[in-house]
Amino acid sequence: MAKELILLDEWLSMFGMRARIALAEKEIEYEYREEDLDNKSQMLLQMNPIHKKIPVLIHNGKPIAESIIIVEYIDEVWKDKAPFLPSDPYQKAQARFWADFVNKKIGDVGGRIWAGKREEIEVAKKELVENLKELEKVLGEKAYFGGDTFGFVDIALIPFHSWFYTYETLGDFKVEIECPKLIAWAKRCNQRESVAKSVAHENEVYDFVLQYRKKLHLD
Ligand code: GS8
């Protein structure tokens, strides 16, 4: 009999962190399985044969892949705790839009910094700051992206905060100078137990990236 809930993950993954935060917010118990992405388990290959990527949530033997889809699934299945997505269809569409923006405009650009060649970092860092400023505008004066309560866009974005130190160090800039309200928001999120226990430490991320860059002779 398959265990009820298993998360195939990798500790430093911002995508995996989303799933962990969502599960922690809903206070759901699950089995965490760390994957070695250089030597993927048979289970990962079977459960996510299309992308072969973590995170994968396995619920009663059935896999759910793609972090944003996992977060929505958790929200839909465990309804006894506060919802991540608003009920109003327009507000819901807006939350999905900004989570998608985080994937396309923060995740991709961030990748061009931490795994990019020196000359690429300069270009990507400017784009990253512009995109973070857009998010800061959306946040406005609110405590969280959805208003007073921690929700969908917060879960999509906050894992990237543990990568900011790496982006900043490689790109020689400070997000706090460019986007002070966004950093105040990140500190607010990090005070939540669900976030604090689910995110990697910025130094762990940085050490991993330095090793990676050394291996690929990126500097
Ligand atoms: C991205 C997952 C991903 O990139 C999501 O879940 O939102 N769109 C997906 N996972 C990476 C690790 S985190 O950088 C991964 O599993 N990579 C393995 C590989 O590419 O072989």
Side-chain angles (χ1 to χ4, degrees):
M1 179 65 188
K3 276 239 179 185
E4 196 194 341
L5 209 54
I6 300 170
L7 182 67
L8 306 182
D9 200 349
E10 196 215 22
W11 184 247
L12 296 180
S13 165
M14 50 287 257
F15 307 107
M17 290 181 217
R18 289 172 169 170
R20 280 175 250 156
I21 294 168
L23 289 162
E25 279 289 327
K26 300 275 187 179
E27 294 178 32
I28 305 164
E29 288 199 10
Y30 62 98
E31 184 188 336
Y32 177 90
R33 289 201 196 166
E34 179 80 1
E35 279 287 329
D36 172 0
L37 294 176
D38 292 327
N39 185 18
K40 294 173 185 168
S41 70
Q42 274 311 311
M43 188 173 227
L44 175 58
L45 300 176
Q46 275 166 16
M47 292 290 162
N48 192 0
I50 302 292
H51 299 303
K52 304 177 179 64
K53 290 184 179 189
I54 59 89
V56 183
L57 183 69
I58 306 165
H59 189 195
N60 292 325
K62 290 189 285 190
I64 305 106
E66 290 295 313
S67 59
I68 285 295
I69 296 172
I70 294 173
V71 173
E72 280 205 46
Y73 179 81
I74 292 168
D75 203 24
E76 279 190 331
V77 173
W78 288 274
K79 285 186 181 290
D80 56 323
K81 295 273 168 5
F84 303 146
L85 274 164
S87 55
D88 174 72
Y90 185 73
Q91 295 303 329
K92 197 183 281 186
Q94 288 304 105
R96 288 184 174 130
F97 174 88
W98 288 109
D100 184 57
F101 177 94
V102 173
N103 284 349
K104 291 175 175 148
K105 300 282 191 174
I106 306 295
D108 286 5
V109 179
R112 280 163 45 209
I113 298 180
W114 73 262
K117 295 216 173 84
R118 278 280 140 201
E119 54 275 22
E120 287 171 291
I121 292 178
E122 277 309 298
V123 182
K125 130 187 163 183
K126 289 199 183 76
E127 276 180 50
L128 180 70
V129 168
E130 277 169 29
N131 300 340
L132 289 173
K133 284 187 175 169
E134 290 298 338
L135 285 165
E136 195 176 55
K137 274 193 251 166
V138 176
L139 177 66
E141 300 303 321
K142 301 190 292 289
Y144 298 108
F145 278 86
D148 293 335
T149 51
F150 182 81
F152 195 65
V153 180
D154 304 300
I155 297 174
L157 181 60
I158 192 59
F160 287 91
H161 180 252
S162 56
W163 284 70
F164 279 9
Y165 174 73
T166 297
Y167 303 153
E168 290 173 333
T169 310
L170 289 169
D172 192 22
F173 70 109
K174 277 266 171 225
V175 178
E176 187 152 27
I177 292 173
E178 309 286 346
C179 303
K181 284 184 189 160
L182 200 66
I183 294 298
W185 160 84
K187 287 183 181 155
R188 203 153 42 240
C189 293
N190 285 335
Q191 279 167 3
R192 300 179 75 79
E193 196 197 332
S194 65
V195 176
K197 71 178 190 190
S198 305
V199 295
H201 194 279
E202 58 187 18
N203 292 339
E204 289 176 294
V205 174
Y206 186 61
D207 288 347
F208 161 81
V209 168
L210 284 190
Q211 295 291 331
Y212 177 89
R213 296 184 64 82
K214 212 163 141 186
K215 206 165 79 187
L216 295 189
H217 307 289
L218 287 167
D219 287 305

